[in-house]
């Protein structure tokens, strides 16, 4: 589901569309924060959901009422026994922002989509006055560090002087929204400012276009990763073989890195047909800031690869970044099952766990410690 793409499509035929977004949740709720739903003029859902049941019915009714008014509103829901009768067996509470998205916002939505598709992060600032009118909506790019946020807010404040916060305060709140992945709500003298994080689509580079890669690519694409396939054979790296991939590269592996952009949000998987290629790619990958580096293979193959890299100067500390053998242990056998186990690990890392489950086992940790002792003992 690509909500930004659907908003742009809707605005081609509609003057405006209503977007409902869960701002925050407390306790057990039928949908998570940032869940979104587009609403048609007739009060039916265009796409997405904010939880279903009577809660969603109330949101749809409010959205239909607000269509002609072009006003925004925050609705708070406390789910109780009455909601359980309607199938919402939760008991928590949530706030939902219902707002109009107009044709005047098209350039902003395109900018948001481009930023997200590039794998970069941002924060969307929405200012709403006491009457419910959206008086400002803009995108703030978030780069590593916070210095740039001050510069951006300094420029914004020169055009929107009604904000009674300092540049430092707004930069800090924007940083919190991004770092904590939560919507920040700031009370204004005559309204409210919402700071909602926009998380870039994680890029996944798969080296090797074999049958396991096909399964990983399909599952990863469904899970929201932008997949790039790299293979030194055209018949294994092409759009027909990987229709879900955003890019395919048929080049020599040692040349591929010159054509790839690898960021802190990039995931790398190594599953070529040869050990020598795997070693070469892994050595290059460890010199990048990639968030995840995974390699397929048995523990024996992994250890042999590590030994060769250590002999060539790679530190054991760098090797601790590698998820190998990659994938969460599910007892997977088929290529499809392996694909699911690997993508499960990618999701595990994306949602906040930076360590591979294998490193929590004594076996893999012991092998790395042995390598470390050997490397440290060299003259």
């Amino acid at each position: 589901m690509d909500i930004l793409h659907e908003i742009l499509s809707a605005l081609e035929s509609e003057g405006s569309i209503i977007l409902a977004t869960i701002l925050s949740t407390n306790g057990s709720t039928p949908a998570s924060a940032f869940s979104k739903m587009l609403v048609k003029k007739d009060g039916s859902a265009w796409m997405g959901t904010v939880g279903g049941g009577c809660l969603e019915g109330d949101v749809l009714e409010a959205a239909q009422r607000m269509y002609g008014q072009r006003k925004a509103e925050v609705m708070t829901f406390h789910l109780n026994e009455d909601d359980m009768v309607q199938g919402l067996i939760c008991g928590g509470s949530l706030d939902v922002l219902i707002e109009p998205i107009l044709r005047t916002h098209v350039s902003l939505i395109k900018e948001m989509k481009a930023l997200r598709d590039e794998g970069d992060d941002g924060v969307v600032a929405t200012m709403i006055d006491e009457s419910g009118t959206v008086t400002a909506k803009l995108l703030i790019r978030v780069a590593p560090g916070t210095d740039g946020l001050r510069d951006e807010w300094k420029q914004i404040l020169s055009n929107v002087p009604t904000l009674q916060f300092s540049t430092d305060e707004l930069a800090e709140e924007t940083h919190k929204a991004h770092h904590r992945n939560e919507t920040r709500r700031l009370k204004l003298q005559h309204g409210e400012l919402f700071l909602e994080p926009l998380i870039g689509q994680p890029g996944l580079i798969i080296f090797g276009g074999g049958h396991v890669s096909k399964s990983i690519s399909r599952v990863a694409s469904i899970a929201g990763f932008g997949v790039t396939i790299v293979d030194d054979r055209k018949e294994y790296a092409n759009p027909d073989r990987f229709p879900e991939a955003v890019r395919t590269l048929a080049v020599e592996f040692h040349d591929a890195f010159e054509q790839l952009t690898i960021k802190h949000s990039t995931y790398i998987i190594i599953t070529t047909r040869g050990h020598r290629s795997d070693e070469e790619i892994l050595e290059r990958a460890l010199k990048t800031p990639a968030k995840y580096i995974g390699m397929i293979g048995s523990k024996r193959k992994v250890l042999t690869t590590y030994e060769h890299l250590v002999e060539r100067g790679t530190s054991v500390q760098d090797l601790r970044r590698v998820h190998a053998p990659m994938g969460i242990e599910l007892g997977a056998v088929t290529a499809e099952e392996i694909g699911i186990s690997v993508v499960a690990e990618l999701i595990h890392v994306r949602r906040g766990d930076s360590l591979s489950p294998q490193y929590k086992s004594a076996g893999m940790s012991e092998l790395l410690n042995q390598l470390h002792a050997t490397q440290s003992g060299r003259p």
Side-chain angles (χ1 to χ4, degrees):
M1 180 182 73
D2 187 344
I3 200 79
L4 297 179
H5 175 78
E6 289 300 322
I7 289 173
L8 290 173
S9 297
L11 291 178
E12 289 180 358
S13 57
E14 304 286 335
S16 65
I17 192 166
I18 295 293
L19 174 65
T21 303
I22 296 181
L23 296 174
S24 61
T25 64
N26 183 36
S28 178
T29 56
S32 60
F34 311 127
S35 296
K36 296 179 182 292
M37 180 175 66
L38 290 179
V39 185
K40 297 180 180 180
K41 285 184 178 180
D42 63 3
S44 61
W46 184 299
M47 75 172 302
T49 181
V50 290
C54 56
L55 179 160
E56 192 159 293
D58 289 344
V59 171
L60 291 171
E61 183 179 342
Q64 185 179 24
R65 182 186 74 247
M66 295 162 57
Y67 238 106
Q69 302 174 3
R70 294 192 173 183
K71 301 287 186 179
E73 180 181 334
V74 175
M75 298 183 69
T76 299
F77 295 89
H78 298 284
L79 306 179
N80 50 38
E81 292 181 359
D82 293 335
D83 300 297
M84 293 182 185
V85 175
Q86 301 294 327
L88 300 180
I89 309 176
C90 301
S93 62
L94 65 162
D95 292 332
V96 181
L97 171 64
I98 307 171
E99 61 175 319
I101 305 296
L102 312 176
R103 280 185 179 168
T104 54
H105 293 137
V106 165
S107 60
L108 171 66
I109 302 300
K110 287 182 177 179
E111 185 182 1
M112 291 167 57
K113 187 176 184 302
L115 185 75
R116 185 207 61 189
D117 292 350
E118 290 167 3
D120 295 326
D121 295 345
V123 171
V124 180
T126 303
M127 190 163 65
I128 300 174
D129 68 15
E130 292 174 311
S131 70
T133 300
V134 178
T135 57
K137 195 173 187 69
L138 48 94
L139 174 64
I140 302 167
R141 292 174 178 268
V142 177
T146 58
D147 291 342
L149 294 176
R150 294 183 179 88
D151 294 336
E152 290 212 34
W153 274 112
K154 184 177 181 180
Q155 179 63 35
I156 292 168
L157 288 174
S158 66
N159 298 317
V160 188
T162 54
L163 293 173
Q164 67 265 28
F165 294 94
S166 69
T167 299
D168 286 343
E169 289 172 326
L170 291 168
E172 179 62 25
E173 289 296 329
T174 304
H175 174 70
K176 287 179 181 179
H178 173 252
H179 183 69
R180 299 178 183 178
N181 196 31
E182 66 180 21
T183 297
R184 305 291 293 178
R185 298 177 62 176
L186 306 182
K187 289 293 184 181
L188 306 176
Q189 185 175 359
H190 300 291
E192 192 167 6
L193 174 65
F194 301 87
L195 299 172
E196 179 188 348
L198 175 67
I199 305 303
Q201 181 186 41
L204 170 62
I205 302 171
I206 303 177
F207 288 92
H211 59 288
V212 171
S213 295
K214 286 187 67 175
S215 296
I216 295 173
S217 178
R218 287 198 299 269
V219 179
S221 179
I222 293 171
F225 291 84
V227 180
T228 295
I229 302 295
V230 181
D231 200 288
D232 56 358
R233 303 162 292 176
K234 289 184 178 180
E235 63 270 26
Y236 283 85
N238 59 74
D240 290 335
R241 183 171 174 81
F242 291 94
E244 71 286 341
V246 297
R247 187 183 184 192
T248 56
L249 277 177
V251 296
E252 296 294 331
F253 292 121
H254 56 77
D255 294 330
F257 283 86
E258 307 302 324
Q259 301 183 44
L260 297 168
T261 300
I262 299 176
K263 308 176 182 181
H264 290 277
S265 59
T266 304
Y267 294 65
I268 295 175
I269 283 178
I270 305 168
T271 174
T272 73
R273 65 189 185 282
H275 291 190
R276 183 173 297 179
S277 296
D278 286 354
E279 286 183 17
E280 178 184 2
I281 295 166
L282 180 57
E283 190 171 22
R284 294 287 299 273
L286 286 170
K287 297 175 182 177
T288 73
K291 183 172 185 176
Y292 172 99
I293 301 172
M295 184 174 70
I296 200 169
S298 65
K299 289 185 178 180
R300 179 180 293 276
K301 172 209 167 176
V302 171
L303 178 59
T304 301
T305 299
Y306 286 179
E307 288 174 337
H308 291 171
L309 293 186
V310 167
E311 289 172 359
R312 296 205 293 270
T314 301
S315 72
V316 174
Q317 189 60 36
D318 281 341
L319 291 174
R320 292 185 187 276
R321 293 176 58 196
V322 184
H323 298 240
M326 64 182 178
I328 289 177
E329 181 53 55
L330 302 176
V333 175
T334 67
E336 291 77 13
E337 291 173 345
I338 293 171
I340 290 170
S341 78
V342 170
V343 177
E345 184 171 73
L346 301 184
I347 295 170
H348 198 53
V349 172
R350 183 173 66 181
R351 296 308 180 190
D353 191 338
S354 61
L355 291 178
S356 167
Q358 277 70 33
Y359 290 155
K360 298 171 186 175
S361 67
M364 207 60 200
S365 179
E366 183 179 349
L367 290 176
L368 286 166
N369 289 339
Q370 289 173 1
L371 277 175
H372 178 69
T374 301
Q375 190 177 53
S376 299
R378 290 180 176 177

